[in-house]
Amino acid sequence: MGTVPRATRAAVAGVERTDLADPAFWRLPAAEQAAAFAGLRQLPTPTYFVERPRSLFRAERGFHALVRHADVVAASRTPEVFRSAPGVTTPEPPRWVRALFGDSMVNLDDPDHARLRRIVSRAFTPRLIAQVEEDIHCVARRIVDDVIAHRPEDFVRSVAAELPFQVICAMMGIPEERRPAILAEVDHASEHTGVQRPLRQRIRLPGRGLRALARMQGMVADLGRERRRRPTDDLISALVTADVDGRSLSYRQLGAFFSLLLVAGVETTRNALAHGLHLLTEHPEQRALLLADPDAHLDGAVDEIIRCATPIIQFRRTLATEHTLGRAQLARGDKVVLYYGSANRDESVFTDPDVFDITRRPNPHLGFGGGGPHFCLGAPLARQEMKVLYRELFTRLPELRSVGAPELVPSSFDNRVRSLRFTF
Ligand code: HEM
């Protein structure tokens, strides 16, 4: 551990042993991770962690951990200092990958980011979200029909992953027959972010995630070409056809945007839905409250699920200039990591932060980011999907519950659920 004085660290029990840069930390039980973050939040300055020590040939690499609500908000809302380029995920995408695939908007700063966000925001206006609502209802109804007919065992595969994927495909205008091939590539691509794979697998499968991404982007670029020739009323047509200011996406940008939607929009919503079912099962009194009056409690339940589950654990920023954050002096080029899950348990903002309470008001969680120019574009869509699906499930299957603990995928990037058994 880095810059915190030894005496201060020793005063906060257990913090001495915490190492957020060590993949082993992310395999600890959730309660141990939460206790470590609670310790870090008590320290007066953000803690510095070394990812790769200095050697004869290479400079040291490390990051300052922003674990308090106020610090995550400040960094998110000061983009001129806390830059998203060269990348917000860990590890940063290498330059050649960005050149080949087209940088996705999360990794860009203004004015490039603003230009791209203006184009893709067309998909997320309240009017378009209202149009998508019918799709969401249809898909949710079909999923519940299938659950009743086939009684699958795994909630993630049969319910939680299915809804956001089908909704994004419907929005984009991906024909039904091409969806299974795209889904297979998404599964490959997303398994390779922020997860420490065994060495043997890394050697045997170099660039497997990248190849999957390239194949998927190729499929979407093909559709883009078809839609430019014969536009329909879907999102791909809107994105590749110039709008009133004459701006549209290139095929490369279209592929990058679609990958972002799939990884940012499908994985996150699927994990939130699965964690949500488990939270509601583990807290029968909250479940009873929700089922007794869904109109009154669905909004609160969805936000509390996102606060407690925090589907995206962290994003990274790079300092454009020197900066003082609280009592910490950050230098130009320093990396900081924004820990959304820790901010969502900050005891100075949330009363009883470890309690799951669907009536919590206000609930200023940072599950969709800390505000600022990169705030989640899909937040209204994700909330809508979750509300529609839970309503459909609990109305038709009021005995629905998870069985046993969710099988989690250890990751420092997202709070991923591999499978969750369920019964009704
Ligand atoms: C529960 C579900 C979701 C969670 C927890 C979530 C979380 C996040 C977070 C933490 C960020 C980064 C914010 C920042 O850097 O300030 C983000 C960005 C983004 N999200 Fe979501 N997201 C969810 C669902 C979705 C959905 C359904 C979509 C689209 C279909 C979506 C599209 C995006 C996009 C495009 C960005 C990048 C925005 C930008 O860089 O300007 N997300 N999301």
Side-chain angles (χ1 to χ4, degrees):
M1 239 166 74
T3 54
V4 177
R6 183 163 289 278
T8 319
R9 280 192 270 142
V12 181
V15 163
E16 188 86 356
R17 291 186 301 277
T18 300
D19 185 358
L20 301 184
D22 181 354
F25 176 83
W26 300 98
R27 290 194 287 271
L28 293 175
E32 275 181 54
Q33 292 182 18
F37 276 111
L40 292 173
R41 281 195 300 274
Q42 288 180 49
L43 301 176
T45 51
T47 308
Y48 183 78
F49 294 94
V50 176
E51 285 177 299
R52 185 185 70 194
R54 186 197 312 272
S55 75
L56 208 51
F57 309 104
R58 291 188 303 197
E60 178 184 286
R61 196 171 63 190
F63 60 86
H64 304 271
L66 306 192
V67 292
R68 295 185 195 183
H69 192 278
D71 290 345
V72 173
V73 168
S76 304
R77 296 184 188 184
T78 322
E80 58 286 4
V81 176
F82 295 88
R83 313 288 282 177
S84 294
V88 292
T89 46
T90 306
E92 277 162 21
R95 205 176 294 220
W96 68 267
V97 171
R98 301 204 311 269
L100 202 63
F101 292 109
D103 236 323
S104 92
M105 62 196 289
V106 264
N107 295 330
L108 296 177
D109 296 298
D110 289 348
D112 296 338
H113 168 259
R115 204 175 298 130
L116 210 52
R117 184 151 171 143
R118 261 199 305 279
I119 302 177
V120 299
S121 294
R122 293 173 208 169
F124 295 94
T125 58
R127 193 175 57 82
L128 277 170
I129 301 281
Q131 277 177 18
V132 172
E133 195 166 337
E134 195 37 45
D135 287 327
I136 302 178
H137 280 286
C138 276
V139 179
R141 266 196 301 274
R142 189 187 43 72
I143 289 174
V144 180
D145 289 346
D146 285 351
V147 163
I148 294 169
H150 304 295
R151 303 193 148 257
E153 285 196 350
D154 178 17
F155 183 77
V156 173
R157 191 154 276 279
S158 56
V159 181
E162 188 65 9
L163 178 77
F165 176 71
Q166 296 298 343
V167 168
I168 288 189
C169 286
M171 254 174 95
M172 293 288 281
I174 309 279
E176 298 236 356
E177 67 280 6
R178 297 200 200 173
R179 293 181 193 175
I182 289 186
L183 187 59
E185 304 300 359
V186 179
D187 277 348
H188 287 321
S190 63
E191 284 227 343
H192 301 277
T193 314
V195 186
Q196 193 70 5
R197 282 179 293 143
L199 186 62
R200 196 165 44 85
Q201 207 182 346
R202 268 181 282 164
I203 291 170
R204 264 198 301 138
L205 300 167
R208 193 176 153 192
L210 280 180
R211 286 203 303 275
L213 205 64
R215 281 193 299 269
M216 186 177 76
Q217 298 198 351
M219 295 180 198
V220 178
D222 288 346
L223 274 173
R225 286 188 195 91
E226 289 170 25
R227 294 295 196 281
R228 187 170 283 174
R229 280 196 300 273
R230 278 187 297 280
T232 61
D233 62 354
D234 60 30
L235 178 56
I236 294 191
S237 304
L239 296 175
V240 296
T241 321
D243 78 344
V244 274
D245 8 292
R247 296 208 179 275
S248 63
L249 291 191
S250 67
Y251 296 124
R252 211 157 56 105
Q253 284 171 324
L254 178 71
F257 177 59
F258 186 62
S259 316
L260 175 66
L261 282 194
L262 287 177
V263 179
V266 175
E267 296 283 308
T268 46
T269 312
R270 139 202 157 141
N271 293 327
L273 283 165
H275 280 292
L277 176 64
H278 190 59
L279 280 163
L280 289 167
T281 305
E282 294 277 280
H283 299 88
E285 75 301 341
Q286 298 293 307
R287 186 178 179 286
L289 204 59
L290 175 63
L291 267 64
D293 192 352
D295 288 337
H297 295 300
L298 254 178
D299 285 311
V302 161
D303 273 290
E304 183 65 348
I305 287 168
I306 290 174
R307 183 186 77 85
C308 290
T310 313
I312 293 194
I313 296 172
Q314 54 138 304
F315 266 158
R316 179 182 281 240
R317 298 286 194 266
T318 304
L319 272 283
T321 56
E322 276 182 17
H323 188 73
T324 310
L325 189 74
R327 281 193 246 161
Q329 275 302 323
L330 307 178
R332 181 165 180 262
D334 276 5
K335 308 275 180 201
V336 295
V337 175
L338 285 57
Y339 286 100
Y340 300 118
S342 175
N344 284 344
R345 306 261 166 162
D346 188 331
E347 34 295 279
S348 70
V349 175
F350 300 100
T351 315
D352 298 328
D354 295 327
V355 172
F356 175 63
D357 174 8
I358 64 171
T359 65
R360 190 182 286 281
R361 304 273 189 289
N363 188 347
H365 69 79
L366 307 185
F368 292 117
H374 289 276
F375 185 77
C376 177
L377 200 52
L381 179 65
R383 285 193 172 102
Q384 192 65 8
E385 288 181 44
M386 292 176 71
K387 283 193 289 184
V388 170
L389 185 68
Y390 284 135
R391 190 188 284 276
E392 187 75 21
L393 282 169
F394 285 122
T395 312
R396 293 175 62 191
L397 306 171
E399 294 304 319
L400 180 84
R401 284 177 175 79
S402 62
V403 176
E407 190 195 345
L408 303 174
V409 183
S411 165
S412 59
F413 174 67
D414 66 358
N415 209 349
R416 195 174 311 171
V417 185
R418 180 174 288 133
S419 64
L420 176 67
R421 290 197 304 124
F422 75 118
T423 178
F424 48 95

